[in-house]
Amino acid sequence: MMLAAQQLFPWNKETLRRQLSVIRGETAPTKVLKNATYLSSARKAWLEGHIWIYEDRIVYAGKDWPALTTGTEIVDCSEKYIVPGYIEPHAHPFQLYNPHTFAEYASIRGTTTLVNDNMFFFLNIQKEKALTLIEDLDELPTSMFWWARYDAQTELEEEDAIFSPSDMKAWLEHPLVLQGGELTSWPKVMTGDDTVLHWMQYTKELNKPIEGHLPGASARTVNQMSLLGVNGDHEAMTGEEALRRLDAGMTTSLRYSSIRPDLPQILEELLEAGITDYSRFTLNTDGSTPSFYKQGVIDKTIAIALEKGVPEIEAYEMASYNSARHFGIDDQIGMIAPGRVAHLNILEDSKNPVPEAVLAKGQWILKDGENRYPPRDFKWSSYGVHPFMIDWHLQEDDLHFSMPMGLELVNSVILKPYQVSIDVTTEELTEEHNECFFVMLDRFGKWRINTVIKGFGTNIGGFATTFSNTGDIVLIGKRKRDMVKAFQELKNHDGGLFLVEDETLIESIPLKLFGAMSLEPMGNVIEQHERMEKALKDRGYPHEDPIYSLLFFSSTHLPYIRITQKGIFDVHKKSVLFPAIMR
């Protein structure tokens, strides 16, 4: 744990002495940004002066000029504005991209700090390797922090063993883990689950906040969760819901994501309500799918805030200082002041949050229009992250359908039960309706669930994916022969998303890391995602985001029924309606 602690506070005694010597005129700073107009969160004002940087740290910001500048890189920032690097307080860096590629993409757009979901690593990688991995990821120019889940947000076959006390304790205590949550299992806590409540209390003992997950929660529920220790929530969908959280004392993160682009409306309603103090609001993109980020990351949320009339300083602090203060790390990040990590965005105009140059941990990662993010080849296999290997075969019985109840996808993520009335004993279904065969298969080939899904597409031949909340395999389609071909493509490519028509591969997104994350650069993944989404929508997918539909088929934090490892699950009654069939 000593190594991780050093990484959170990376300056040892020798380094601290050198930093002091810069102030005393005995050592030259590494860089000086001179004649800058910079944001002072201490004064809530734009100040003019010079910013001295030594290696990865700001050592001074003010009117003084360093006594020694031998070898110093001096950058004239006259008529430029400098703001702290933006913070994404609620990232899910596994939405086809991986944490490394997303960190690079976000950082060169000014979002130099990510606070990430640990779910994928927690469920799939042995504890010691997972914690080593997050430490190694923090060696990137991007500051990479994490949160620790309390539950899997689905019904797992061995959930108690997975969320063991030793693993929970190790994650929550790790210095790079800044909070507990997000708390998707709050209904269980409300109805007497003391296991999760124990870990919530332990999180508070560690002086770390708890992130809620309270979509549609009433004022009464929000107040009860505040009593139980929830410090923040990102699920407000309206201005009224944001105020509900604010009134309960929570830090309220306003969301602009591919599945919930609510930020413009929320801000309009908050301004109408007379909000003038934004110090307890932050901004987040909640793990959007790749193509959504073509607009930007946190820089896009700032642009929306400015457009809606949020004062400049408040808008930039919602994207930086407010998050740092919430997590208790504003002594190291989120401000332009001595002692902070040198995450700095240089802007041409304070009204345009897209940076023309970016420093992350004191390194130029964007300068003169050039991406300078240092290349790094992550040896994922050394951390236990491997391809999705399938050593079993699809059988004829795997495509046998007789269940009377089907699944209706009423929007991108909500599933309702419905009575199947079509003939499902045929080799293919007609394109006159929007019902498809649906199969979920255990990743190890042990069990399957066969039913029909309504509302996913009208003329999808065969579609196969390993991208799901549980990491199991989903097959969807009108024609069994195309579904078989799609499964074979998935197997041959070690996981991903594969769309087949007339037994020919139409589109694919290979996901070489556990069948969930691509090794490709973010730009490539965006292009692949756009093509796949268009192909699915051209074939009748009617909702906003097919990627989230796939991810959340198993997620029991959403109504009304889910497809879990135990079978078709009634979320409200917390019971299995139709159990999985052993193969």
Side-chain angles (χ1 to χ4, degrees):
M1 282 307 213
M2 181 61 69
L3 177 62
Q6 289 174 352
Q7 286 172 334
L8 184 62
F9 189 84
W11 307 293
N12 58 27
K13 295 184 185 71
E14 181 182 347
T15 304
L16 290 171
R17 295 294 181 192
R18 288 202 304 272
Q19 292 167 353
L20 290 178
S21 72
V22 175
I23 300 296
R24 295 168 179 167
E26 301 161 356
T27 300
T30 310
K31 295 178 178 67
V32 173
L33 308 182
K34 73 173 185 177
N35 302 327
T37 300
Y38 64 92
L39 176 59
S40 168
S41 293
R43 291 205 204 179
K44 306 291 183 192
W46 295 105
L47 302 182
E48 294 182 359
H50 317 297
I51 301 170
W52 310 1
I53 298 164
Y54 183 74
E55 295 179 345
D56 61 346
R57 200 178 196 193
I58 299 169
V59 295
Y60 174 82
K63 296 287 188 181
D64 292 346
W65 187 256
L68 188 63
T69 57
T70 305
T72 301
E73 179 184 2
I74 300 173
V75 179
D76 189 356
C77 294
S78 301
E79 300 183 5
K80 307 293 184 185
Y81 290 80
I82 301 182
V83 295
Y86 310 139
I87 299 173
E88 165 55 275
H90 196 91
H92 298 271
F94 315 109
Q95 311 293 44
L96 306 183
Y97 41 82
N98 71 64
H100 179 203
T101 53
F102 182 63
E104 175 179 350
Y105 184 86
S107 291
I108 62 174
R109 286 154 181 79
T111 303
T112 52
T113 298
L114 303 176
V115 185
N116 299 306
D117 183 5
N118 80 323
M119 173 84 86
F120 189 80
F121 290 166
F122 186 89
L123 293 181
N124 293 288
I125 307 176
Q126 190 267 341
K127 175 183 64 183
E128 282 74 19
K129 289 185 176 180
L131 296 179
T132 299
L133 175 52
I134 70 170
E135 292 167 9
D136 289 352
L137 282 167
D138 194 51
E139 293 178 3
L140 296 169
T142 311
S143 289
M144 298 281 272
F145 299 110
W146 301 83
W147 71 77
R149 290 275 193 162
Y150 301 125
D151 69 282
Q153 73 181 35
T154 187
E155 295 296 305
L156 297 179
E157 293 181 290
E158 300 176 355
E159 183 164 350
D160 290 344
I162 293 170
F163 286 83
S164 67
S166 62
D167 283 8
M168 290 295 297
K169 197 167 183 290
W171 274 96
L172 284 167
E173 290 178 352
H174 197 283
L176 293 175
V177 173
L178 299 184
Q179 67 176 5
E182 59 186 286
L183 183 62
T184 54
S185 61
W186 61 268
K188 293 169 66 174
V189 179
M190 296 274 278
T191 54
D193 187 313
D194 278 348
T195 301
V196 174
L197 184 57
H198 166 79
W199 293 117
M200 292 171 66
Q201 289 182 302
Y202 189 64
T203 305
K204 304 299 281 191
E205 289 174 15
L206 295 170
N207 200 31
K208 296 182 180 183
I210 296 171
E211 175 71 10
H213 179 96
L214 308 170
S218 66
R220 180 175 178 177
T221 296
V222 171
N223 281 317
Q224 289 181 82
M225 296 315 298
S226 186
L227 283 172
L228 291 174
V230 173
N231 301 83
D233 186 74
H234 62 286
E235 288 288 340
M237 292 175 273
T238 66
E240 180 184 353
E241 291 186 359
L243 291 173
R244 192 178 296 166
R245 287 152 177 76
L246 199 67
D247 291 344
M250 294 181 182
T251 297
T252 304
S253 197
L254 307 181
R255 177 169 53 190
Y256 184 67
S257 75
S258 55
I259 198 167
R260 295 292 328 182
D262 299 317
L263 180 62
Q265 176 193 337
I266 292 174
L267 289 172
E268 288 174 6
E269 294 174 1
L270 289 175
L271 286 160
E272 287 173 10
I275 286 292
T276 57
D277 183 351
Y278 292 83
S279 61
R280 294 186 67 81
F281 291 112
T282 64
L283 301 167
N284 79 88
T285 61
D286 199 9
S288 293
T289 44
S291 62
F292 189 79
Y293 285 121
K294 285 183 75 173
Q295 307 173 64
V297 190
I298 296 299
D299 56 307
K300 176 60 178 178
T301 68
I302 302 168
I304 293 171
L306 293 172
E307 178 188 333
K308 293 300 176 183
V310 175
E312 275 183 5
I313 289 174
E314 299 276 14
Y316 284 106
E317 290 197 330
M318 288 164 74
S320 54
Y321 176 67
N322 294 1
S323 286
R325 189 182 59 194
H326 172 70
F327 292 120
I329 56 172
D330 53 307
D331 61 334
Q332 293 184 55
I333 219 160
M335 291 180 72
I336 299 176
R340 275 65 179 184
V341 174
H343 289 315
L344 297 167
N345 291 333
I346 300 176
L347 312 179
E348 191 173 12
D349 190 315
S350 62
K351 295 176 176 58
N352 180 8
V354 179
E356 65 174 33
V358 179
L359 283 164
K361 293 182 181 173
Q363 303 177 54
W364 292 111
I365 59 169
L366 177 69
K367 193 179 183 191
D368 300 325
E370 179 187 352
N371 177 0
R372 300 188 181 185
Y373 205 89
R376 176 164 177 176
D377 181 20
F378 261 92
K379 301 296 183 186
W380 291 99
S381 59
S382 65
Y383 306 103
V385 182
H386 49 72
F388 192 105
M389 304 293 289
I390 300 174
D391 59 0
W392 47 273
H393 302 287
L394 204 61
Q395 302 168 353
E396 187 176 341
D397 284 352
D398 291 329
L399 297 180
H400 174 75
F401 300 87
S402 60
M403 189 179 293
M405 191 194 82
L407 318 169
E408 183 177 3
L409 188 67
V410 297
N411 64 27
S412 293
V413 298
I414 302 299
L415 286 171
K416 288 184 176 180
Y418 84 103
Q419 192 72 27
V420 177
S421 59
I422 61 172
D423 181 8
V424 295
T425 62
T426 58
E427 287 298 302
E428 61 181 81
L429 299 176
T430 175
E431 295 181 1
E432 294 176 358
H433 55 71
N434 64 347
E435 291 162 270
C436 294
F437 296 122
F438 181 100
V439 188
M440 179 176 278
L441 293 151
D442 172 49
R443 67 171 81 182
F444 303 112
K446 295 178 181 178
W447 52 260
R448 61 179 168 85
I449 302 165
N450 297 59
T451 184
V452 173
I453 188 166
K454 183 178 184 179
F456 192 86
T458 53
N459 59 328
I460 293 171
F463 178 76
T465 183
T466 51
F467 185 76
S468 64
N469 189 43
T470 57
D472 296 307
I473 299 163
V474 170
L475 305 180
I476 298 173
K478 291 281 190 178
R479 291 176 286 279
K480 291 181 180 179
R481 64 182 183 275
D482 284 345
M483 295 168 70
V484 171
K485 174 65 173 175
F487 175 83
Q488 197 60 47
E489 292 286 349
L490 178 149
K491 184 175 179 179
N492 292 342
H493 290 87
D494 299 327
L497 294 84
F498 301 88
L499 179 62
V500 167
E501 193 169 275
D502 297 327
E503 298 182 79
T504 301
L505 184 65
I506 301 298
E507 291 293 347
S508 65
I509 307 178
L511 301 175
K512 293 295 187 181
L513 302 178
F514 277 138
M517 301 182 292
S518 175
L519 284 168
E520 294 288 315
M522 188 74 171
N524 294 2
V525 178
I526 287 172
E527 291 177 6
Q528 292 174 332
H529 174 227
E530 286 181 322
R531 292 198 304 268
M532 179 65 76
E533 185 173 277
K534 182 180 185 303
L536 289 172
K537 289 185 175 181
D538 286 348
R539 288 159 179 78
Y541 177 85
H543 309 300
E544 289 297 316
D545 199 326
I547 301 303
Y548 259 103
S549 297
L550 302 171
L551 180 66
F552 282 159
F553 278 143
S554 301
S555 298
T556 52
H557 68 293
L558 293 165
Y560 293 86
I561 58 171
R562 298 286 128 182
I563 317 300
T564 74
Q565 294 182 353
K566 295 181 180 179
I568 297 181
F569 186 80
D570 185 314
V571 175
H572 179 67
K573 295 180 180 178
K574 298 179 175 56
S575 61
V576 176
L577 301 176
F578 295 94
I581 298 170
M582 300 307 292
R583 297 178 72 244

